[in-house]
């Protein structure tokens, strides 16, 4: 095994900016009601300092200084440490030198190097290999990618259109309800759009997150090519993870894209503001909202793009009859659902514990409806609802809007 | 892992279970540093107990093989306590983070010592209470146990003194594993609301000793109603002497909870960070007055303002002070770091007017290292002081460094150690008792003082297992 830290080396400057204050582990801040930072510390999955952002950064510096030999034992432990993280970026948000440190960048670079040394988790290796052939991490055949699409929608993929709806693997294979609701809304609103069909490949998000960068880049290159072929001006996403991957990873690797990127909540809230959405029905519901990390903290980190915090709330508040209540930890402070960063596949139990903590928090609002705007959050939160036998009903924002159009 | 370490891991696992014992190298590395410029030191094992009884069992087990034990809070000691971790069992106290009782009738709070000052502030504030001294600048992460072992100082300490002054009673696990309660807690049946009156005060023995005499597991502290009204006063002084005169007069009123004096560099750094009224100022004084209501606050502010203005200082905008005030615990702090350089700190307590001499010492030190600082891109600053216990100022110096510049950290270490030596030689008092400071302090004790403390250590820790080397007591 060749030990190489070629990805991590790029983050050397960030690593040495950490002042080791420990604000990134847990924190209580009265003025904006911060009561926790790392979700895995809260649920007890992080057993030692090594798992916290500060510990991981310290380990990264030791690795660069060559004082941590890599062998079977240390490699395995490092994998456990670095993959026991949902890459939710809350440690970044609560770090007071955050302008100088890209925490998740460091973790993902470390993972990429571990992965190429063969220390990726078996579950991650498996979905990376599968995606290479079948373009999805769900171990599903590629030909089934369009099974979610009912005939009556009468959509032909890859037609020339101004807008491409990038469905994403989770909505294609698992949360088909979200893909259907999205398409239903677009149709009702008369939007000129197309989908990529079997030309849509995994966006690469799970692969980028766990460090399988080569396969991820292959997927990305293909997606960009087909979108450019259509000549679309904009791409819209119902998956927060796909959206973030296009916005961050693709732009970093492939340079500026020739099309605009819009998360569905951004697209719809704009149409609502312009008076182009006629809501005809009422929904008597008391709802709370879970902010996906990918469209909140991950965008805030970029600095180039404001986080999508108000857009989903504006959609919900535009629906007559909906009473909206915030959870205690919301917006930039939102508690991660636990699905992301390869955690769900790598450490299923711990991932589900995060989602359960979130459901318990949602229950405290007195709401019986929890809404989000990411199929992957939806999926983990739904599993937690089942596990807890909770009465909470889970919806995507698009599902609620579709009901009233 | 050595055979000896393997054995101790087995024993500790039988006490704590597998989940909270580790001897894995990556884990040990995460515990190998504090925030000082000292080099990494690896312990043998790290454990994370949840109860006092577990702490006691760990110490009993360590005694059997005379294995060193080092308690750890948030690990933010700026003075190198990590040196004592060599081959040790590190006891990470942060799972013991419960606020056990906020007793409004008795006006006390009892906590586990692994809790952070930030959490304590949050929970007390929700109920309209506070501790006197709110905790160190690092309150968001620093633990009660760590700060009590340092006599930490920061918010509220002009009026309330160090965090140690909050304490009425401690639960301590002695190095032998015996558990004692101090203050009125010495009577098993009494409330823990009083520190004095049950014979000699043993509480003080376990405060500001770097953890050398026992592991603090619980602390009971006095609480006060959260102030309803706050006033902020800021002044510009023409020179250092005038700043000290104003500091003295303001402190003599015995009213403000915080009094801070800024040097030109900090004024400019904060000015550039957006606090415009500080831009270009040489010396500034910042005063916080906390009061139960507006009427009292206004009267007190007028009184303090008159005292300050007697010295000729002029009022300036207080926007920084409002930002700094407690709701934003320590947020301003790392922002002063230019370009994100890491900082290393000195602190040094002296009577108010002795700061004039300290200031000269600082200049001498920085001048001596001028060339090396330039060569290694180090930026040393005489930053500020804050008033402690009415009669003393605590001078804060920082050196900023790019730690990845080869050789930079070694120069920091040299300059930093020499700084401490110079301050102690001139009567400066320190409180972060990591190795760099603690050993220096101990070498400066009168011999009778040293022998007395060593005798106490021998009685409490016959095998010398708890932080061996701390304060040169073993
Ligand atoms: C941003 C920042 C600002 C800071 N500002 C200040 C400031 O204003 N004032 C100040 O005083 N310091 C300040 N510090 C330094 C430091 O944070 C404090 O001294 C703090 O109180 C240390 O607490 P800790 O929990 O990190 O202790 P640690 O560093 O973990 O431990 C300190 C010492 O106490 C011992 N110890 C820890 N817990 C226990 C226990 N339960 N029983 C017995 N011994 C124990 C350890 O062995 C060690 O010797 C600052 C640090 C940072 C990063
Ligand atoms: S909050 Fe930031 S600077 Fe502080 S320890 Fe964590 S990563 Fe380092
Ligand atoms: S990214 Fe999230 S899960 Fe990972 S260390 Fe930071 S706070 Fe914890």
């Amino acid at each position: 095994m060749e030990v190489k830290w070629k990805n991590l080396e790029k983050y050397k400057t960030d690593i040495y900016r950490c002042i080791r204050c420990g604000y990134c582990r847990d924190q209580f801040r009265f003025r904006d009601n911060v009561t926790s930072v790392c979700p895995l510390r809260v649920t007890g999955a992080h057993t030692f300092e090594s798992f916290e952002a500060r510990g991981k950064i310290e380990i990264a510096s030791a690795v660069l200084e060559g004082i941590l030999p890599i062998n079977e034992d240390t490699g395995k432990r490092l994998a456990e440490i670095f993959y026991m993280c949902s890459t939710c970026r809350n440690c970044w948000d609560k770090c007071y030198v955050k302008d100088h440190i890209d925490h998740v960048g460091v973790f993902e670079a470390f993972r990429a190097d571990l992965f190429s040394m063969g220390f990726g988790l078996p579950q991650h290796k498996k979905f990376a290999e599968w995606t290479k052939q079948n373009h999805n991490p769900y171990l599903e055949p590629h030909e089934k990618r369009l099974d979610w699409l009912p005939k009556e929608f009468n959509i032909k993929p890859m037609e020339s259109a101004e807008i491409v709806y990038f469905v994403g693997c989770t909505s294609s294979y698992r949360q088909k309800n979200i893909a259907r609701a999205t398409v239903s809304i677009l149709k009702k609103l008369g939007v000129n759009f197309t989908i990529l069909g079997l030309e849509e490949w995994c966006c690469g998000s799970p692969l980028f997150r766990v460090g399988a960068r080569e396969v991820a880049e292959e997927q990305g290159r293909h997606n960009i090519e087909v979108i450019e072929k259509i000549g679309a001006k904009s791409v819209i996403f119902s998956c927060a993870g796909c959206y973030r991957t296009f916005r961050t990873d693709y732009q970093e690797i492939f340079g500026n894209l020739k099309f605009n990127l819009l998360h569905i909540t951004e697209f719809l809230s704009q149409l609502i503001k312009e008076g182009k959405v006629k809501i005809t029905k009422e929904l008597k519901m008391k709802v709370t909202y879970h902010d996906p990390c990918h469209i909140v903290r991950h965008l805030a980190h970029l600095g180039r793009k404001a986080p999508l915090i108000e857009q989903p709330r504006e959609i919900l508040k535009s629906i007559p009859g909906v009473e909206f209540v915030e959870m205690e930890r919301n917006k930039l402070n939102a508690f991660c659902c636990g699905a992301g960063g390869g955690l769900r596949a790598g450490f299923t139990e711990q991932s589900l514990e995060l989602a359960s903590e979130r459901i318990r928090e949602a229950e405290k609002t007195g709401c019986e409806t929890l809404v989000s705007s990411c199929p992957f959050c939806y999926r983990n939160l739904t599993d937690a609802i089942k596990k807890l036998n909770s009465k909470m009903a889970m919806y995507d924002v698009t599902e609620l809007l579709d009901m009233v159009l | 892992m050595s055979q000896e370490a393997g054995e101790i891991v087995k024993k500790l696992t039988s006490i704590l279970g597998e989940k909270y014992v580790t001897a894995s190298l990556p884990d040990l590395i995460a515990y190998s540093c504090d925030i000082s410029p000292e080099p990494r030191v690896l312990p043998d094992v790290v454990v994370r107990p949840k109860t006092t009884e577990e702490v006691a069992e760990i110490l009993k087990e360590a005694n059997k093989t005379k294995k060193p034990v080092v308690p750890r809070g948030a690990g933010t000691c700026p003075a190198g306590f990590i040196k004592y971790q060599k081959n040790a069992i590190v006891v990470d106290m942060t799972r013991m983070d419960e606020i056990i009782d906020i007793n409004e009738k008795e006006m006390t709070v009892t906590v586990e010592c692994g809790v952070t000052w930030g959490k304590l502030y949050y929970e007390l504030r929700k109920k309209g209470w506070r501790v006197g001294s709110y905790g160190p600048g690092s309150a968001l992460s620093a633990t009660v146990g760590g700060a009590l072992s340092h006599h930490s100082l920061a918010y509220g300490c002009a009026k309330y003194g160090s965090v140690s002054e909050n304490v009425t009673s401690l639960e301590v696990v002695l190095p032998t594993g015996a558990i004692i309660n101090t203050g009125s807690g010495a009577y098993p049946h009494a409330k823990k609301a009083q520190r004095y009156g049950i014979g000699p005060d043993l509480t003080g023995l376990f405060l500001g000793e770097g953890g050398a005499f026992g592991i603090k597991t619980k602390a009971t502290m006095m609480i006060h109603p959260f102030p309803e009204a706050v006033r902020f006063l800021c002044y510009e002084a023409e020179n250092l002497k005038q700043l000290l005169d104003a500091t003295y007069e303001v402190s003599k009123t015995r009213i403000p909870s915080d009094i801070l004096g800024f040097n030109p560099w900090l004024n400019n750094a904060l000015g550039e960070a957006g606090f415009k009224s500080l831009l270009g100022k040489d010396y500034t004084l910042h005063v916080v007055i906390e009061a139960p209501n507006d009427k009292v606050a206004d009267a007190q502010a007028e009184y303090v303002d008159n005292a300050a203005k007697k010295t000729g200082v002029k009022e300036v905008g207080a926007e920084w002070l409002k930002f700094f005030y407690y709701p934003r615990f320590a947020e301003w702090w790392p922002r002063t770091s230019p370009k994100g350089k890491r900082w290393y700190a000195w602190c040094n307590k002296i009577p108010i007017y002795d700061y004039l001499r300290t200031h000269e010492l600082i200049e001498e030190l920085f001048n001596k290292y001028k060339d090396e600082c330039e060569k290694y891109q180090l930026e040393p600053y005489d930053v500020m002081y804050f008033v402690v216990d009415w009669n003393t100022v605590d001078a804060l110096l920082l050196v900023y460094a790019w730690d990845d510049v080869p050789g930079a950290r070694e120069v920091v270490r040299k300059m930093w150690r020499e700084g401490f030596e110079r301050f102690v030689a001139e009567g400066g008092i320190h409180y972060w008792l990591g190795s760099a400071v603690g050993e220096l302090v101990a070498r400066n004790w009168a011999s009778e003082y040293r022998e007395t403390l060593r005798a106490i250590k021998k009685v409490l820790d016959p095998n010398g297992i708890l932080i061996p080397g701390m304060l040169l007591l073993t």
Side-chain angles (χ1 to χ4, degrees):
Chain A
M1 175 202 34
E2 203 188 350
V3 178
K4 263 197 186 157
W5 298 103
K6 77 174 169 64
N7 290 292
L8 192 63
E9 282 283 356
K10 293 180 201 145
Y11 285 90
K12 196 169 175 186
T13 316
D14 294 55
I15 289 166
Y16 285 98
R17 297 301 161 267
C18 167
I19 57 163
R20 309 191 193 106
C21 64
Y23 291 2
C24 51
R25 302 180 309 168
D26 49 18
Q27 200 184 113
F28 281 74
R29 206 163 66 187
F30 190 81
R31 72 173 167 86
D32 52 359
N33 207 25
V34 170
T35 52
S36 60
V37 181
C38 181
L40 286 136
R41 185 168 175 95
V42 171
T43 56
H46 280 184
T47 42
F48 292 99
E49 178 75 42
S50 36
F51 288 80
E52 310 303 341
R54 177 173 70 166
K56 285 190 281 227
I57 290 176
E58 198 50 46
I59 292 173
S61 70
V63 154
L64 293 181
E65 288 159 22
I67 58 166
L68 176 52
I70 304 301
N71 52 40
E72 265 316 298
D73 275 359
T74 54
K76 261 172 111 175
R77 182 62 173 166
L78 287 171
E80 207 179 320
I81 289 169
F82 276 82
Y83 286 111
M84 187 72 86
C85 164
S86 61
T87 63
C88 73
R89 222 179 259 283
N90 207 10
C91 47
W92 166 81
D93 187 56
K94 306 299 178 290
C95 168
Y96 289 108
V97 286
K98 67 183 184 185
D99 297 345
H100 304 288
I101 307 176
D102 174 359
H103 304 66
V104 170
V106 173
F107 309 157
E108 288 185 356
F110 201 109
R111 288 172 171 200
D113 291 331
L114 279 180
F115 202 90
S116 39
M117 288 181 232
F119 290 112
L121 299 182
Q123 305 88 314
H124 296 162
K125 286 184 190 164
K126 193 165 164 190
F127 75 55
E129 274 158 30
W130 185 269
T131 308
K132 195 170 167 55
Q133 306 300 328
N134 294 285
H135 315 304
N136 74 83
Y138 285 107
L139 313 185
E140 295 284 354
H142 183 56
E143 312 78 75
K144 290 194 164 184
R145 192 167 191 100
L146 265 177
D147 280 9
W148 62 272
L149 183 65
K151 284 212 173 60
E152 58 271 25
F153 278 144
N154 198 19
I155 295 175
K156 285 205 196 87
M158 292 297 286
E159 279 188 336
S160 161
E162 294 223 323
I163 291 176
V164 164
Y165 166 41
F166 191 93
V167 184
C169 300
T170 309
S171 303
S172 297
Y173 293 104
R174 295 289 182 268
Q175 272 9 103
K176 299 175 184 173
N177 49 326
I178 297 176
R180 288 183 194 129
T182 308
V183 167
S184 166
I185 294 173
L186 296 176
K187 289 227 130 207
K188 285 177 189 168
L189 297 177
V191 175
N192 169 14
F193 78 100
T194 189
I195 57 172
L196 303 177
L198 291 180
E199 287 300 337
E200 180 185 294
W201 289 6
C202 172
C203 71
S205 174
L207 309 163
F208 281 118
R209 309 287 79 86
V210 304
R213 290 195 173 175
E214 259 173 50
V215 192
E217 285 182 26
E218 267 169 41
Q219 310 298 305
R221 204 167 291 117
H222 169 84
N223 286 327
I224 294 172
E225 258 171 44
V226 291
I227 295 167
E228 283 180 355
K229 210 192 276 171
I230 290 174
K233 284 197 184 132
S234 304
V235 181
I236 53 177
F237 302 84
S238 44
C239 177
C242 300
Y243 172 77
R244 179 248 171 146
T245 301
F246 271 67
R247 198 164 263 295
T248 58
D249 303 272
Y250 283 18
Q251 309 231 37
E252 246 173 70
I253 297 162
F254 307 114
N256 283 343
L257 303 176
K258 292 188 186 133
F259 39 84
N260 294 324
L261 306 171
L262 292 163
H263 186 259
I264 189 75
T265 55
E266 216 175 349
F267 180 72
L268 294 174
S269 69
Q270 188 56 33
L271 292 184
I272 291 172
K273 263 195 209 135
E274 289 166 8
K276 292 182 180 157
V277 179
K278 297 270 166 297
I279 298 180
T280 51
K281 294 170 212 154
E282 198 186 48
L283 272 185
K284 280 261 169 259
M285 273 184 181
K286 193 173 166 188
V287 309
T288 188
Y289 177 73
H290 166 78
D291 292 275
C293 308
H294 287 288
I295 54 169
V296 178
R297 284 187 291 263
H298 286 288
L299 292 189
H301 164 253
L302 272 184
R304 279 176 265 139
K305 166 97 188 143
L308 303 178
I309 290 174
E310 293 312 322
Q311 291 81 346
R313 289 173 171 77
E314 280 159 13
I315 298 172
L316 292 174
K317 288 174 188 169
S318 73
I319 301 174
V322 163
E323 186 191 339
F324 182 73
V325 186
E326 288 287 2
M327 278 189 264
E328 194 177 304
R329 292 173 287 197
N330 56 57
K331 304 177 185 175
L332 279 167
N333 255 339
F335 191 85
C336 172
C337 77
L343 191 72
R344 187 179 153 95
F347 294 98
T348 309
E349 203 184 303
Q350 288 82 350
S351 155
L352 201 54
E353 194 40 47
L354 261 62
S356 304
E357 164 87 8
R358 193 59 168 155
I359 295 300
R360 287 189 282 265
E361 188 174 349
E363 284 173 340
K364 275 198 218 149
T365 60
C367 296
E368 289 196 346
T369 306
L370 172 61
V371 181
S372 193
S373 50
C374 171
F376 208 35
C377 297
Y378 182 108
R379 198 160 164 62
N380 223 31
L381 292 167
T382 310
D383 284 354
I385 289 171
K386 278 190 214 132
K387 181 186 142 194
L388 296 173
N389 259 331
S390 168
K391 289 207 187 78
M392 192 64 66
M394 182 79 220
Y395 288 99
D396 188 78
V397 179
T398 51
E399 290 181 287
L400 290 199
L401 190 64
D402 190 36
M403 284 183 214
V404 292
L405 289 182
Chain B
M1 201 192 317
S2 66
Q3 200 188 340
E4 185 222 348
E7 279 302 307
I8 195 85
V9 166
K10 245 194 246 160
K11 299 268 169 52
L12 293 170
T13 305
S14 71
I15 299 167
L16 295 161
E18 228 170 78
K19 191 171 172 189
Y20 292 111
V21 180
T22 185
S24 160
L25 184 57
D27 294 325
L28 303 182
I29 283 181
Y31 286 89
S32 66
C33 53
D34 49 25
I35 69 164
S36 73
E38 296 293 62
R40 280 201 184 86
V41 179
L42 290 177
D44 270 2
V45 193
V46 180
V47 291
R48 286 188 78 206
K50 183 70 189 148
T51 64
T52 302
E53 289 67 32
E54 284 176 356
V55 174
E57 288 308 310
I58 293 163
L59 284 162
K60 283 180 196 161
E61 196 52 56
N63 268 295
K64 290 183 194 158
T65 51
K66 301 193 180 168
K67 186 90 184 148
V69 174
V70 177
R72 182 182 175 104
T76 61
C77 170
F81 86 105
I82 41 160
K83 177 178 170 189
Y84 307 120
Q85 292 185 168
K86 195 166 173 4
N87 301 327
I89 302 169
V90 163
V91 184
D92 173 342
M93 295 295 290
T94 56
R95 273 180 79 222
M96 296 186 64
D97 66 345
E98 296 296 323
I99 293 178
I100 298 165
D101 181 29
I102 298 176
N103 194 324
E104 297 182 61
K105 285 276 173 296
E106 287 163 19
M107 291 191 272
T108 58
V109 61
T110 300
V111 301
E112 289 185 319
C113 284
V115 76
T116 64
W117 293 91
K119 181 172 174 184
L120 178 61
Y121 175 91
Y122 180 92
E123 296 299 342
L124 286 174
R125 176 86 198 262
K126 275 204 304 199
K127 296 191 166 206
W129 294 88
R130 47 96 53 104
V131 279
S133 191
Y134 289 98
S138 50
L140 292 176
S141 61
T143 62
V144 164
L148 293 180
S149 305
H150 272 175
H151 281 319
S152 275
L153 297 159
Y155 308 99
C157 66
K159 187 170 181 174
Y160 295 97
S162 95
V163 290
S164 302
E165 301 294 347
N166 295 333
V167 177
T168 58
S169 173
L170 291 172
E171 178 190 82
V172 183
V173 183
L174 299 179
T176 53
I179 301 166
I180 67 161
N181 283 278
T182 69
S184 50
Y187 289 162
H189 52 277
K191 304 224 165 118
K192 294 185 170 178
Q194 278 294 312
R195 176 159 167 188
Y196 305 108
I198 36 76
D201 170 36
L202 275 193
T203 311
L205 197 59
F206 302 101
L207 295 171
E209 39 57 287
F213 288 149
I215 300 186
K216 291 173 271 292
T217 42
K218 294 191 186 97
T220 302
M221 292 178 268
M222 282 178 280
I223 55 174
H224 313 264
F226 196 82
E228 300 261 315
V230 186
R231 296 293 179 269
F232 304 99
L233 304 174
C234 285
Y235 305 97
E236 177 188 7
E238 278 167 14
N239 52 45
L240 183 55
K241 170 71 175 51
Q242 193 184 41
L243 179 75
L244 291 171
D245 287 341
T247 303
Y248 174 78
E249 291 300 332
V250 164
S251 200
K252 220 167 63 172
T253 65
R254 303 227 152 186
I255 290 171
S257 55
D258 297 270
I259 306 168
L260 303 102
F262 287 2
N263 284 326
W265 177 76
L266 187 56
N267 283 322
N268 273 316
L270 292 171
E272 275 162 20
F275 302 101
K276 294 275 182 278
S277 60
L278 299 182
L279 204 59
K281 301 281 186 295
D282 281 343
Y283 296 95
T284 52
L285 184 70
H286 305 258
V287 183
V288 178
I289 293 166
E290 297 180 321
N293 60 38
D294 285 330
K295 207 171 156 193
V296 177
D298 286 337
Q300 291 189 334
E302 193 186 339
Y303 187 72
V304 173
D305 188 47
N306 285 337
K309 286 193 176 142
K310 262 198 327 212
T311 64
V313 291
K314 291 195 197 76
E315 213 166 313
V316 290
E319 71 266 36
W320 175 80
L321 196 52
K322 287 177 189 162
F323 176 81
F324 151 88
Y325 191 60
Y326 314 119
R328 290 186 176 258
F329 249 152
E331 278 177 61
W332 67 280
W333 176 257
R335 289 185 189 194
T336 58
S337 163
K339 307 171 218 113
K341 280 185 176 180
R342 251 183 201 171
W343 53 261
Y344 297 101
W346 295 262
C347 262
N348 175 38
K349 291 191 288 183
I350 53 260
I352 295 174
Y353 279 106
D354 288 6
Y355 184 75
L356 280 171
R357 174 66 193 133
T358 300
H359 189 64
E360 285 168 12
L361 276 177
I362 296 169
E363 277 189 0
E364 283 166 31
L365 179 75
F366 289 177
N367 277 337
K368 180 176 170 191
Y369 283 89
K370 201 161 168 265
D371 293 344
E372 278 184 282
C373 284
E374 244 162 56
K375 184 170 169 200
Y376 292 98
Q377 301 173 50
L378 307 177
E379 297 175 60
Y381 295 105
D382 178 8
V383 180
M384 67 156 183
Y385 62 68
F386 52 99
V387 171
V388 183
D389 283 324
W390 314 114
N391 67 344
T392 298
V393 292
D394 185 347
L396 172 70
L397 290 73
L398 295 176
V399 53
Y400 290 107
W402 295 128
D403 248 3
D404 38 343
V405 170
R409 192 144 163 196
E410 285 68 33
V411 177
V412 170
R413 199 176 299 140
K414 203 165 60 163
M415 175 165 58
W416 178 74
R417 281 180 171 269
E418 185 175 334
F420 281 127
E421 270 165 35
R422 286 183 179 219
F423 299 136
V424 172
E426 300 254 352
I429 305 296
H430 293 281
Y431 45 99
W432 301 328
L433 296 177
S435 57
V437 175
E439 293 175 16
L440 184 66
V441 167
R443 266 186 246 114
N444 277 273
W445 285 334
S447 58
E448 295 80 358
Y449 192 82
R450 182 182 313 118
E451 290 319 312
T452 309
L453 282 183
R454 281 191 174 173
I456 294 172
K457 173 77 174 171
K458 188 83 196 150
V459 170
L460 296 179
D461 188 4
N463 290 320
I465 58 156
L466 192 61
I467 328 189
M470 172 63 78
L471 291 167
L472 301 178
L473 292 174
T474 42

